[in-house]
Amino acid sequence: MFDVCVVGAGTMGSSAAYHLSKNEGLKVALIGPDEPEHKTPDNEVFGCHYDEGRITRVISPIESEQILAYRSMLGYEQLERESGLKIYTEVGFAVFGAEGDPEIEDYSSTAERFCEKHNLVFERMDHGMIKEKWGYLGIPSHFNGGYSKKYNGHISVRNLVKACQSVYTKNGGERYSSRVQRIVPSDGQGFEIELDTGDVVRSVKVVVTCGAFSNFFDLLPCEQQVDCQLVGHTVMKFELTDEDRVKLRDLPSLMYKPRPNTTDYIYILPPIKYPNGKTYLKFGHTTEPSLDNEDIARNLETLDDVKNWHCRSDYPEAGRYFNSILSKLFPTIQPVSGELDFCVMTFTPSGKQYIDFIQDGMFVAFGGNGKSAKMGLEIGNICARSVLKGFWEYDLDKEQFSVQFRDQK
């Protein structure tokens, strides 16, 4: 019998297990498949951490995101030291959009307040300042924005998961690389966790961090489904020549809003070297599906929808879209090749993560809304502290992270 079992071995789950393992004498299990060598539908479940580059930033219009990202960054140094793995690279973060766009102004205003509070610097930039600093960017003349260096950049989310699991196992935590079929309350105490191998793991308490797969299988012991929308997103990695890699060496992590009066952004990661030895400039988007942008995002409903999206091999429409953005924003860059990849985001009605008890002894954390990689380490800390105490144990208002169900009015 374990004291706590964490179901889901991605960013939030591995982070929760890492924090739990710091409690001497606590018996902890972490259950979930490892990253597959190749993605096929036979894998059944997938994670969003199969990547080397994710933007991390304290610059955000949402206060809770600022706090959770900041506290996550404060923990990277210790985790890197404990694991020997590189996680965080500080290259700064910039956000650009049309002059007068209220979202860009909101970004800038909240960034200024946060930076003032923490003795950091946020620099507002007009078009001339942007061109002076990054002359290779094809930013329209009516665009402005802002930039901050400290506590902004990118993380290897793959290394974050590896580091958390490495330290967790060194601290005595047990690891099961199986998929969970079902979680049921035990007749005695705690829960029985049935694995796809036929084995059963028993635990007093459970933390469920299964992202887009949380409503599939029988993970949550309630008749209602959690209210969330699954959206298939595309990203594109452009392989860079050595010449272009050097040219873009000062590029920060970037969010670019090409059209005002929408919530659509393009996010861009600076040149990052991947395990295959190649260096990529990565593009992604925050676009949600609508009649005019089905080419890059799709609503997903079933388990097969999710698996098939993860396992796509090509998507010409998305490729054309990202190539058009590249040619406008980086007109002098000539990539060697472009490679599409696919992930699934879990959106909640509130736009906040679900971090909550759904019954005694069962805590959940999912619904990342496409922006939780930068907060994952600290969300894991919330999971660990709260599940051990048996109640919400954190200095943010728990109501903003409450789970909603589909028939809840």
Side-chain angles (χ1 to χ4, degrees):
M1 174 75 80
F2 290 97
D3 296 307
V4 184
C5 178
V6 181
V7 177
T11 307
M12 294 183 192
S14 298
S15 296
Y18 163 70
H19 287 291
L20 285 165
S21 74
K22 297 177 182 180
N23 295 272
E24 189 173 351
L26 193 72
K27 292 186 66 178
V28 185
L30 173 62
I31 306 177
D34 296 315
E35 180 179 350
E37 185 175 352
H38 302 289
K39 293 196 290 187
T40 72
D42 292 338
N43 299 128
E44 288 293 335
V45 297
F46 304 89
C48 286
H49 62 276
Y50 307 163
D51 197 9
E52 291 300 319
R54 292 292 173 84
I55 291 178
T56 188
R57 54 189 170 88
V58 296
I59 304 304
S60 169
I62 300 174
E63 183 182 12
S64 63
E65 291 183 10
Q66 294 174 337
I67 293 169
L68 293 174
Y70 178 62
R71 291 175 180 174
S72 290
M73 276 185 243
L74 294 179
Y76 293 147
E77 183 177 356
Q78 179 180 342
L79 182 54
E80 288 178 335
R81 188 167 57 249
E82 291 174 323
S83 66
L85 293 171
K86 177 67 173 173
I87 299 168
Y88 171 55
T89 302
E90 190 164 87
V91 296
F93 171 77
V95 58
F96 302 135
E99 259 182 62
D101 187 316
E103 275 204 15
I104 300 300
E105 176 57 34
D106 194 25
Y107 250 107
S108 299
S109 297
T110 54
E112 285 177 327
R113 290 194 295 271
F114 182 87
C115 289
E116 182 178 357
K117 180 178 178 180
H118 294 278
N119 198 29
L120 303 173
V121 176
F122 178 79
E123 181 182 10
R124 286 184 181 255
M125 306 183 79
D126 60 23
H127 180 262
M129 296 169 68
I130 295 169
K131 292 298 291 183
E132 183 178 353
K133 191 170 183 66
W134 302 290
Y136 47 75
L137 286 177
I139 298 288
S141 60
H142 63 289
F143 273 41
N144 62 11
Y147 166 74
S148 184
K149 179 68 180 288
K150 187 70 173 174
Y151 297 124
N152 295 285
H154 58 83
I155 59 171
S156 168
V157 70
R158 179 181 280 128
N159 274 1
L160 173 60
V161 168
K162 288 180 179 178
C164 285
Q165 292 188 18
S166 172
V167 178
Y168 163 78
T169 54
K170 287 177 186 176
N171 289 343
E174 292 200 34
R175 177 80 173 93
Y176 294 80
S177 297
S178 305
R179 179 176 58 79
V180 171
Q181 291 272 73
R182 189 174 180 226
I183 303 174
V184 294
S186 173
D187 290 337
Q189 63 168 343
F191 301 86
E192 293 185 351
I193 301 147
E194 301 174 8
L195 310 184
D196 60 356
T197 59
D199 296 321
V200 176
V201 176
R202 293 174 175 83
S203 183
V204 178
K205 298 179 178 181
V206 177
V207 178
V208 179
T209 61
C210 295
F213 297 88
S214 298
N215 274 335
F216 303 125
F217 311 107
D218 293 313
L219 303 179
L220 306 178
C222 52
E223 294 181 0
Q224 305 156 298
Q225 285 200 322
V226 171
D227 190 3
C228 59
Q229 177 62 57
L230 306 183
V231 179
H233 276 238
T234 49
V235 300
M236 193 160 190
K237 296 180 293 187
F238 292 99
E239 182 187 349
L240 297 177
T241 63
D242 288 341
E243 180 182 352
D244 285 340
R245 175 184 57 80
V246 172
K247 182 185 298 183
L248 301 180
R249 65 185 179 276
D250 64 341
L251 181 69
S253 293
L254 174 64
M255 290 192 72
Y256 172 70
K257 192 177 182 187
R259 297 180 299 173
N261 305 315
T262 72
T263 58
D264 302 342
Y265 287 83
I266 303 298
Y267 66 83
I268 300 167
L269 277 297
I272 296 173
K273 188 173 183 179
Y274 275 65
N276 63 4
K278 298 178 180 180
T279 297
Y280 294 98
L281 181 70
K282 176 184 163 186
F283 282 39
H285 63 91
T286 65
T287 306
E288 296 187 39
S290 66
L291 291 177
D292 65 347
N293 61 28
E294 283 190 349
D295 290 345
I296 56 173
R298 294 285 175 89
N299 284 324
L300 309 174
E301 301 295 338
T302 68
L303 178 60
D304 282 342
D305 286 344
V306 174
K307 292 194 296 183
N308 290 335
W309 184 269
H310 272 288
C311 298
R312 292 187 73 113
S313 60
D314 196 14
Y315 201 172
E317 299 93 335
R320 288 193 289 271
Y321 174 80
F322 285 121
N323 272 291
S324 71
I325 297 294
L326 175 74
S327 64
K328 294 173 185 174
L329 199 53
F330 296 90
T332 64
I333 299 300
Q334 299 294 323
V336 177
S337 63
E339 177 183 327
L340 287 168
D341 201 359
F342 305 88
C343 65
V344 177
M345 297 183 183
T346 307
F347 290 92
T348 66
S350 67
K352 300 286 184 69
Q353 298 71 30
Y354 287 148
I355 313 172
D356 193 10
F357 282 99
I358 60 170
Q359 71 172 65
D360 287 345
M362 176 173 279
F363 199 77
V364 299
F366 58 89
N369 297 281
K371 49 192 177 183
S372 285
K374 65 181 180 290
M375 300 176 276
L377 188 60
E378 190 63 12
I379 291 174
N381 185 33
I382 298 175
C383 292
R385 292 169 59 172
S386 298
V387 77
L388 290 180
K389 291 283 189 179
F391 55 84
W392 179 263
E393 173 65 10
Y394 206 67
D395 61 355
L396 294 177
D397 178 13
K398 71 183 183 69
E399 298 304 323
Q400 64 184 311
F401 303 109
S402 295
V403 170
Q404 298 181 39
F405 296 95
R406 284 196 171 147
D407 60 352
Q408 184 174 312
K409 302 301 182 185

